[in-house]
Amino acid sequence: MDDQAKQNAINRLKSAVGHLQGIVNMLEKDTYCIDVIKQIQAVESALEKTSQLILDSHLHTCVTTAIKGDDSNERERVLSEVVEVFKWR
Amino acid sequence: MDDQAKQNAINRLKSAVGHLQGIVNMLEKDTYCIDVIKQIQAVESALEKTSQLILDSHLHTCVTTAIKGDDSNERERVLSEVVEVFKWR
Amino acid sequence: MDDQAKQNAINRLKSAVGHLQGIVNMLEKDTYCIDVIKQIQAVESALEKTSQLILDSHLHTCVTTAIKGDDSNERERVLSEVVEVFKWR
Amino acid sequence: MDDQAKQNAINRLKSAVGHLQGIVNMLEKDTYCIDVIKQIQAVESALEKTSQLILDSHLHTCVTTAIKGDDSNERERVLSEVVEVFKWR
């Protein structure tokens, strides 16, 4: 992954950590359940954006290198990994 | 898309059409709501598998061609499209 | 389910059927993969809205009846079903 | 929310915090992108299970109270909130 994408992803994950710690506080203070669920869903959205960012960098680096390379097994492996994370649930 | 993937995707979509028509019948016969919702969720799963199949073929054809090609704008366009459909909601 | 919600859900499912048949045509005419995937994702969105509509009606009918009723097993069953379809993947 | 569900949810969120901090370390050590994405997706799954747990408790407390109560506006508000978080993306 290039350095900018890496730093961006790290910052987003650290922000998600802070968000989750805030949600723990909300629960300890007996915040209304629906408000807690909405905050958890906001963290999930932030995590998905982070995954998207990492995938973008991955496509520009490893996937591009593998496709340009001569090793067809490596190409297959790399492409099948992208398909695998595409829909993961 | 290669012919086999195309035919596979068409077959899966036609099967999803039949499944949805069955769910319309379920609603007309006042089937229990939760059972209807579960069937709709099964169709969504089938559609996601179909998208995954199409993406797999797309990576092996258009994306591979673009990455090997000389047009950097085209490469960027093709990679950004993959990121875009990765998380779409 | 009340009649209005039922008819609304049936109309949305029939519309999704038409949409999917259009996507089959797109595939047969070799439409660009990414455009096909986006259309499939649009159908998934429409199906989720339909599920939401059915759940709304279910909460106002069966769930309300069960909660007001005297049968605690029935109450448990109905509430656990809602939790089950909440996150299904 | 009842105390047991609350403590369970807090524990799960704290575990997700630890998991995310581990993923930050993975990124700092240049772990392979796909492995990072899979770990992020595992945290998302854990968060969805936590939401499900909170919803379960919410249905047994606030929603049950509202449905048994005399205030129809309150009932409507509570049911529409459940529908709203059902599909949030």
Side-chain angles (χ1 to χ4, degrees):
Chain A
M1 203 181 324
D2 65 275
D3 278 352
Q4 198 188 334
K6 180 174 138 179
Q7 198 52 55
N8 193 342
I10 289 173
N11 292 345
R12 282 167 185 266
L13 291 181
K14 285 184 176 170
S15 158
V17 164
H19 200 156
L20 282 181
Q21 285 166 335
I23 299 171
V24 169
N25 286 340
M26 286 173 75
L27 279 165
E28 280 167 350
K29 288 177 185 160
D30 294 319
T31 305
Y32 186 54
C33 296
I34 294 289
D35 294 332
V36 174
I37 291 174
K38 285 181 181 174
Q39 290 305 313
I40 293 176
Q41 292 177 336
V43 174
E44 286 181 66
S45 266
L47 293 179
E48 290 185 9
K49 289 235 182 306
T50 310
S51 292
Q52 204 172 25
L53 183 83
I54 295 172
L55 180 75
D56 183 71
S57 174
H58 183 60
L59 290 170
H60 282 85
T61 55
C62 304
V63 175
T64 294
T65 304
I67 285 178
K68 286 185 169 165
D70 293 329
D71 183 342
S72 66
N73 287 334
E74 173 69 1
R75 260 201 317 270
E76 273 314 302
R77 192 182 61 76
V78 163
L79 293 185
S80 69
E81 283 171 349
V82 173
V83 172
E84 194 187 337
V85 297
F86 176 60
K87 285 295 177 195
W88 54 281
R89 287 181 236 233
Chain B
M1 205 181 325
D2 66 274
D3 278 354
Q4 198 189 334
K6 179 173 139 180
Q7 198 52 52
N8 193 342
I10 288 173
N11 292 345
R12 282 167 183 265
L13 291 181
K14 285 184 176 170
S15 158
V17 164
H19 200 157
L20 283 181
Q21 284 166 335
I23 299 172
V24 169
N25 286 342
M26 286 172 74
L27 280 166
E28 280 167 350
K29 287 177 187 161
D30 294 318
T31 304
Y32 187 54
C33 296
I34 294 290
D35 294 333
V36 174
I37 290 174
K38 285 182 181 174
Q39 290 305 314
I40 292 176
Q41 292 176 337
V43 174
E44 286 181 64
S45 266
L47 293 179
E48 290 185 8
K49 289 235 180 306
T50 310
S51 292
Q52 206 173 25
L53 183 85
I54 295 172
L55 181 75
D56 184 71
S57 173
H58 182 61
L59 290 170
H60 283 85
T61 55
C62 304
V63 174
T64 294
T65 304
I67 285 179
K68 287 186 169 164
D70 293 328
D71 183 343
S72 66
N73 287 334
E74 173 68 2
R75 259 200 319 268
E76 274 314 302
R77 190 181 63 74
V78 162
L79 293 185
S80 69
E81 283 171 349
V82 172
V83 173
E84 194 187 339
V85 296
F86 176 61
K87 284 295 176 195
W88 54 282
R89 287 182 237 230
Chain C
M1 205 181 325
D2 65 275
D3 279 352
Q4 197 188 336
K6 179 174 139 180
Q7 198 52 52
N8 194 343
I10 289 172
N11 292 345
R12 282 166 183 267
L13 291 181
K14 285 183 176 171
S15 158
V17 164
H19 200 156
L20 282 181
Q21 286 166 334
I23 299 171
V24 169
N25 286 340
M26 286 172 75
L27 279 166
E28 281 167 348
K29 288 177 185 160
D30 294 317
T31 303
Y32 186 54
C33 297
I34 294 290
D35 294 333
V36 174
I37 291 175
K38 285 182 181 173
Q39 290 305 315
I40 292 175
Q41 292 177 337
V43 174
E44 286 180 65
S45 265
L47 292 179
E48 289 185 10
K49 289 238 181 304
T50 310
S51 292
Q52 205 173 25
L53 183 85
I54 295 172
L55 181 75
D56 184 72
S57 173
H58 183 59
L59 290 170
H60 282 86
T61 54
C62 304
V63 175
T64 295
T65 304
I67 285 178
K68 286 186 171 165
D70 293 329
D71 183 343
S72 66
N73 287 335
E74 172 69 2
R75 259 202 316 271
E76 275 313 303
R77 192 182 61 76
V78 162
L79 293 185
S80 69
E81 283 171 348
V82 173
V83 172
E84 194 187 339
V85 296
F86 176 59
K87 285 293 176 195
W88 54 281
R89 287 182 239 228
Chain D
M1 205 182 323
D2 66 275
D3 278 353
Q4 197 188 336
K6 179 174 139 182
Q7 199 52 53
N8 195 342
I10 288 173
N11 292 345
R12 282 166 183 266
L13 291 181
K14 286 183 175 171
S15 158
V17 164
H19 200 156
L20 282 181
Q21 286 166 334
I23 300 171
V24 169
N25 287 339
M26 287 173 74
L27 280 166
E28 282 167 348
K29 289 177 185 160
D30 294 318
T31 304
Y32 187 54
C33 297
I34 294 291
D35 294 332
V36 174
I37 291 175
K38 284 182 182 172
Q39 290 305 314
I40 293 176
Q41 293 176 336
V43 174
E44 286 180 65
S45 266
L47 293 179
E48 289 184 11
K49 289 238 180 305
T50 311
S51 292
Q52 205 173 26
L53 183 84
I54 296 173
L55 180 75
D56 184 71
S57 174
H58 183 60
L59 290 171
H60 283 86
T61 54
C62 304
V63 174
T64 295
T65 304
I67 285 178
K68 285 186 171 165
D70 293 329
D71 184 341
S72 66
N73 287 333
E74 173 68 0
R75 258 201 319 269
E76 275 311 305
R77 190 181 63 74
V78 162
L79 293 185
S80 68
E81 283 171 347
V82 173
V83 173
E84 194 187 338
V85 297
F86 176 60
K87 284 294 175 195
W88 52 282
R89 286 180 238 232

